[in-house]
Amino acid sequence: MDDTFFDKKDYKPLDRVDGRMKVTGAARYSAEYTLPNLAYGVLVGSTIAKGTIRSIDSKAAERAPGVIAVISHQNVIEVPGYQPDATQSTEPKVGGGPLRVFYDNKVYSNDQPIAIVVASSLEKAQYGASLVKVQYNKEEHITDFEANAGKAVVAAAAKKNPKSPTADYDRGQKDAFQTAPFKVEAEYVLPTEMHNPMELQAITAHWEADDKLTIYDKVQGTKTTQKTFAKEWAIPDQNVKVIATFVGGAFGNGLHSWPHESAAIIAAKQVKRPVKLVLTREQMFTMVGYRPRTWQKIQMGATKDGKLVAINHNSIGQTSVYEEFTESTLAQTRMMYASPSVSTRYRLLPLNVATPIWMRGPGEATGAFALESAMDEMAHAIGMDPIEFRILNYTESDPDKNMPWSTKFLRECYEEGKKRIGWENRKLKPGLLRDGEWLVGYGMGTGTFGANRGPATIHAELNKDGNLVMHCAITDIGPGTATAMVQIASNTTGIATEKIVFHLGSSEFPNAGLQGGSSTVNSVGPAVQAACNALKQQLITMAAGKNASAFGSAKPEDIMLDQGNMQITGNMSAKLALGDLLKQNNVEKIETTQESKASENGKQYSMNAFSMHFAMVHVHPLTGQVRVKKIVCCADAGTIVSPKTAESQMIGGATGGIGMALMEDAVMDHRFGRYVTKDFGDYHVPVHADVPDIDVYFVNKPDLLADPVGSKGLGEIAIIGVAPAIANAVFNATGKRVRELPITPDKLI
Ligand code: MOS
């Protein structure tokens, strides 16, 4: 049998291969490139949320020491890729496209970048920016979601594609909910949440020639970014080089190209110097996406013995007035449970805000809060254990696509998770369990995300020192991509992990898509496998050839690789180090480039990763304080390639889920259409003291229909289902159902 890595159960978890570089500061992030003649950019943002700019007075700024230029729509060079015929109004609509920075005098949202001040130092640019005076013709903005929810419309994406998760969907009987014996009808609200990775968004833009651009940029896709800016400047793709060797967290906000990137590139071109631009934390709230505020309503019907008969799920998400952003909020409602009748309605509300973007577990994390809360509400209404209720409505095939699952091991997650959290201590009725002064509650929530495999290409070479070096354009925003790829390569070739290097994060390297949508291991992993197998074949051919002294006349099929050596089956004394084999053949290295493509299996199988999260919480009845005491995360993500980094990824997802459930809330002052939460002082995320012991369980069964590595993806399911698990635990502790996140103490007392 082929020695693919899932047959090797005894490998030791690998430490992060770039861990030392990260903790010693050797890892270079986008803001840490110092180029000769570097200038610094600082953005000036609008102070109105809608209207037009009457004038920008930049004279004082231009006279300030060190200021090189103040660039705005008044004096900007032409950006050839901006489409003049796509001129947009500031009126709400769906469809549209990305903001064209400095294109004209229109203002669509507060803190929209309207000028960039370029100076010889950061401080001088900041001072210059403070001197820019702007006059506006202010118009009345709309930013208040609740006040304008009636204006929500069908997404342009839904009109284009009737099969999209944003299109209206009905299966079964229209009135099934109305006639159901048990009914739950409830509305759920998720506030706007900000990605807020530790690393600020940063770009260093350098025009190496008039038509040759290099950017050091915090992005999740080097190739996609290359294409975007090549188009924007009407130059060939290969003239744009995108470097993102290290990314200090992103959670989705590097999946889109943003106005500040265009601004830095324009500035570098205009002042003919490389320009570095680092956003402030406040600007991270206004110009690089966020999880959109979303209202949801669920109507759920069930029989008295716990069989679902209907789920109607409606949602309204917000987007900007210039660009449509949609996400798959309602996708899992269609496929998670065996309900004969399901209807979903997705609507969009364009507001005078910046465009949202996918944020970890995009769509599903939002939808799961409503669906999994409603499931808990229904179990409670019937008087049934919420796990039993879910198992009663378990789907053995995908009821939406009408196809079998490639694999689904969610039952295993329920069973193992129950044991680990101590579910037997849970009381069916809320409010009965105490620990000293504290009320105690247990809750759970299920998650799912599509196993999205895309194409990827690896270049691999083995040199005469026995080192294996690979290159790929994929980025690593933190999960440990290089570590996982080194592990796959080691398990495919038998070469020790210390002798393998995986280079990533450059558009100069072979093609890969975005690091997003939990798609890296299942897309890039198979390409690594293919490249390693191709190298193995070359080695075997070489070993069977005349120059391989140790092997004489061995047949190729008897030759194998183990621990960096060529060996002959049944003759362990014949052993030749890979490097020596190359030396004997007088070659410096052997190399290969291999592409892996998505398989066709998606046409016959529905492929999803599944997760199940349990939470145990303490709630103080007098203060309303919630302490998450324990979390158990169980995942059916297919093969777990790199157990240590995978566990860390689950811990990270659960931590994000605690933030969703209890803290994160971007609060806007609608008088100005501007966020009042604009730093970590106001916008709370979990800190160490908020995060309990997180116990991670992986089913770890390969899904070979999904891809040859067997991975279904992990990044998203790590967070999807965590927030409702906590909300359900709070209900179990207190009997109070909070349907608007975050669950702050004021909502419990
Ligand atoms: Mo993620 S939202 O796939 O970075």
Side-chain angles (χ1 to χ4, degrees):
M1 178 154 176
D2 185 22
D3 53 343
T4 40
F5 69 92
F6 40 83
D7 296 319
K8 300 201 171 179
K9 296 231 159 63
D10 54 345
Y11 61 80
K12 281 200 208 77
L14 187 56
D15 289 339
R16 217 168 258 269
V17 295
D18 45 10
R20 179 176 290 271
M21 292 187 78
K22 288 188 170 183
V23 297
T24 57
R28 262 212 284 180
Y29 294 84
S30 299
E32 297 180 312
Y33 288 83
T34 303
L35 305 174
N37 207 25
L38 184 65
Y40 298 79
V42 166
L43 291 172
V44 177
S46 69
T47 54
I48 62 165
K50 183 184 175 187
T52 50
I53 299 164
R54 203 158 60 225
S55 67
I56 296 181
D57 177 1
S58 56
K59 281 189 209 77
E62 280 157 9
R63 279 197 301 268
V67 170
I68 300 160
V70 179
I71 300 164
S72 70
H73 73 283
Q74 295 181 162
N75 64 342
V76 69
I77 54 171
E78 194 202 340
V79 181
Y82 281 172
Q83 301 298 314
D85 58 344
T87 308
Q88 295 150 349
S89 78
T90 51
E91 295 310 312
K93 76 188 139 331
V94 289
L99 185 83
R100 293 164 299 173
V101 72
F102 312 150
Y103 177 68
D104 57 21
N105 66 348
K106 295 195 177 67
V107 174
Y108 305 94
S109 67
N110 205 319
D111 205 26
Q112 172 187 319
I114 53 172
I116 183 169
V117 177
V118 187
S120 55
S121 77
L122 174 63
E123 293 77 8
K124 286 170 180 162
Q126 285 168 332
Y127 180 60
S130 75
L131 300 175
V132 175
K133 298 272 178 296
V134 185
Q135 291 199 305
Y136 302 96
N137 291 318
K138 190 170 179 288
E139 294 167 37
E140 202 178 320
H141 60 262
I142 61 163
T143 54
D144 188 339
F145 186 105
E146 272 66 34
N148 293 283
K151 297 177 185 152
V153 292
V154 175
K159 289 184 190 149
K160 234 182 273 166
N161 174 14
K163 286 201 164 153
S164 124
T166 60
D168 289 2
Y169 172 86
D170 295 292
R171 81 164 178 255
Q173 254 180 287
K174 264 220 139 59
D175 63 342
F177 167 72
Q178 300 304 338
T179 56
F182 278 88
K183 291 193 188 100
V184 164
E185 183 165 5
E187 294 179 19
Y188 303 89
V189 176
L190 200 90
T192 292
E193 293 168 357
M194 299 293 170
H195 305 79
N196 267 326
M198 263 209 284
E199 184 197 15
L200 299 164
Q201 226 80 10
I203 176 170
T204 306
H206 181 201
W207 286 92
E208 305 199 32
D210 197 40
D211 62 348
K212 257 189 122 217
L213 171 69
T214 297
I215 53 175
Y216 306 87
D217 198 3
K218 176 174 177 164
V219 297
Q220 288 176 251
T222 58
K223 291 283 192 184
T224 49
T225 306
Q226 176 189 49
K227 278 202 163 41
T228 299
F229 292 119
K231 206 168 153 211
E232 198 152 292
W233 290 94
I235 54 180
D237 286 358
Q238 67 268 19
N239 287 23
V240 178
K241 184 154 99 180
V242 182
I243 308 291
T245 315
F246 290 94
V247 176
F251 311 120
N253 67 2
L255 292 171
H256 189 298
S257 295
W258 300 110
H260 75 274
E261 296 168 86
S262 298
I265 295 168
I266 290 170
K269 181 109 178 161
Q270 197 152 342
V271 305
K272 299 187 166 61
R273 287 171 70 163
V275 169
K276 181 187 289 191
L277 172 61
V278 183
L279 295 192
T280 62
R281 183 57 68 182
E282 180 169 3
Q283 288 169 336
M284 296 289 286
F285 284 77
T286 54
M287 45 184 94
V288 288
Y290 53 90
R291 193 194 297 282
R293 185 175 187 90
T294 303
W295 168 92
Q296 300 175 74
K297 179 176 175 175
I298 290 198
Q299 295 176 316
M300 186 178 277
T303 64
K304 63 181 189 318
D305 46 3
K307 283 278 193 191
L308 281 169
V309 295
I311 310 174
N312 300 334
H313 190 170
N314 296 358
S315 81
I316 302 173
Q318 77 177 46
T319 189
S320 64
V321 295
Y322 52 87
E323 182 178 17
E324 169 168 312
F325 169 76
T326 62
E327 56 184 355
S328 47
T329 312
L330 305 174
Q332 71 203 316
T333 300
R334 299 178 183 182
M335 47 64 80
M336 186 60 99
Y337 299 109
S339 176
S341 298
V342 173
S343 292
T344 64
R345 296 287 181 272
Y346 182 88
R347 296 292 180 268
L348 273 183
L349 179 59
L351 296 172
N352 291 110
V353 293
T355 307
I357 198 65
W358 300 286
M359 180 163 154
R360 200 168 193 186
E364 275 82 352
T366 302
F369 168 59
L371 179 65
E372 292 297 296
S373 293
M375 287 294 285
D376 200 68
E377 298 202 40
M378 181 56 90
H380 177 71
I382 302 171
M384 190 176 263
D385 178 277
I387 300 176
E388 255 173 65
F389 178 51
R390 282 170 175 80
I391 289 176
L392 258 179
N393 294 286
Y394 198 82
T395 57
E396 302 294 353
S397 62
D398 182 339
D400 173 19
K401 293 186 185 152
N402 259 322
M403 292 196 290
W405 306 113
S406 52
T407 55
K408 180 179 181 183
F409 300 106
L410 190 52
R411 277 184 212 279
E412 283 81 345
C413 292
Y414 288 144
E415 289 314 313
E416 186 66 25
K418 247 168 98 165
K419 275 186 245 157
R420 292 187 182 212
I421 196 77
W423 194 251
E424 74 277 4
N425 298 320
R426 181 182 188 269
K427 299 271 182 270
L428 200 56
K429 271 182 104 156
L432 294 182
L433 212 54
R434 275 185 184 260
D435 184 342
E437 293 184 1
W438 297 80
L439 292 162
V440 179
Y442 292 81
M444 48 87 60
T446 310
T448 188
F449 202 80
N452 301 315
R453 179 181 172 200
T457 304
I458 293 286
H459 178 263
E461 62 178 58
L462 180 75
N463 64 32
K464 66 179 189 324
D465 300 322
N467 294 318
L468 173 60
V469 181
M470 294 175 286
H471 286 88
C472 181
I474 192 73
T475 55
D476 177 33
I477 62 174
T481 300
T483 311
M485 298 309 149
V486 164
Q487 188 69 67
I488 291 171
S490 176
N491 288 337
T492 311
T493 59
I495 297 172
T497 53
E498 310 85 71
K499 300 202 68 124
I500 305 175
V501 182
F502 189 85
H503 292 290
L504 49 66
S506 167
S507 62
E508 304 277 275
F509 299 161
N511 185 52
L514 294 156
Q515 175 148 89
S518 308
S519 64
T520 301
V521 170
N522 48 6
S523 303
V524 181
V528 167
Q529 252 186 5
C532 287
N533 282 325
L535 287 183
K536 261 166 77 171
Q537 273 317 311
Q538 289 187 37
L539 289 167
I540 287 168
T541 306
M542 204 179 261
K546 59 178 169 29
N547 293 332
S549 57
F551 290 81
S553 57
K555 292 196 204 96
E557 56 270 30
D558 291 334
I559 301 176
M560 56 180 211
L561 270 84
D562 192 38
Q563 301 186 30
N565 295 305
M566 306 298 295
Q567 296 194 345
I568 300 173
T569 313
N571 175 11
M572 285 317 180
S573 59
K575 204 183 227 185
L576 179 58
L578 299 183
D580 292 339
L581 175 62
L582 298 196
K583 283 178 204 150
Q584 286 180 10
N585 281 270
N586 269 326
V587 290
E588 289 293 312
K589 62 180 184 188
I590 56 168
E591 59 190 316
T592 186
T593 300
Q594 295 292 323
E595 184 184 14
S596 143
K597 291 201 169 105
S599 78
E600 299 283 293
N601 292 339
K603 291 183 178 152
Q604 287 148 48
Y605 296 92
S606 183
M607 303 187 192
N608 275 65
F610 295 91
S611 62
M612 201 255 62
H613 303 277
F614 281 98
M616 193 266 270
V617 302
H618 283 186
V619 182
H620 200 283
L622 293 179
T623 65
Q625 190 190 6
V626 178
R627 301 295 299 167
V628 181
K629 300 303 283 185
K630 187 173 169 73
I631 288 190
V632 177
C633 301
C634 305
D636 163 25
T639 309
I640 298 305
V641 167
S642 169
K644 195 167 176 177
T645 52
E647 184 183 6
S648 296
Q649 200 173 9
M650 292 296 279
I651 292 169
T655 304
I658 295 171
M660 281 183 82
L662 302 180
M663 293 144 204
E664 295 189 52
D665 188 3
V667 178
M668 187 174 271
D669 183 337
H670 294 298
R671 293 174 301 169
F672 310 105
R674 188 151 180 146
Y675 290 107
V676 292
T677 49
K678 53 192 170 60
D679 54 36
F680 284 128
D682 300 320
Y683 184 90
H684 292 173
V685 297
V687 297
H688 276 101
D690 298 311
V691 181
D693 174 33
I694 295 170
D695 184 12
V696 177
Y697 165 72
F698 293 119
V699 178
N700 198 13
K701 289 188 184 160
D703 186 338
L704 295 177
L705 290 166
D707 63 83
V709 169
S711 164
K712 298 198 284 186
L714 197 58
E716 319 305 321
I717 58 165
I719 189 170
I720 300 166
V722 176
I726 295 169
N728 294 339
V730 168
F731 174 77
N732 184 242
T734 63
K736 289 205 174 102
R737 180 67 66 181
V738 180
R739 301 187 182 90
E740 178 164 358
L741 295 182
I743 305 170
T744 43
D746 54 300
K747 294 174 182 166
L748 293 172
I749 52 173

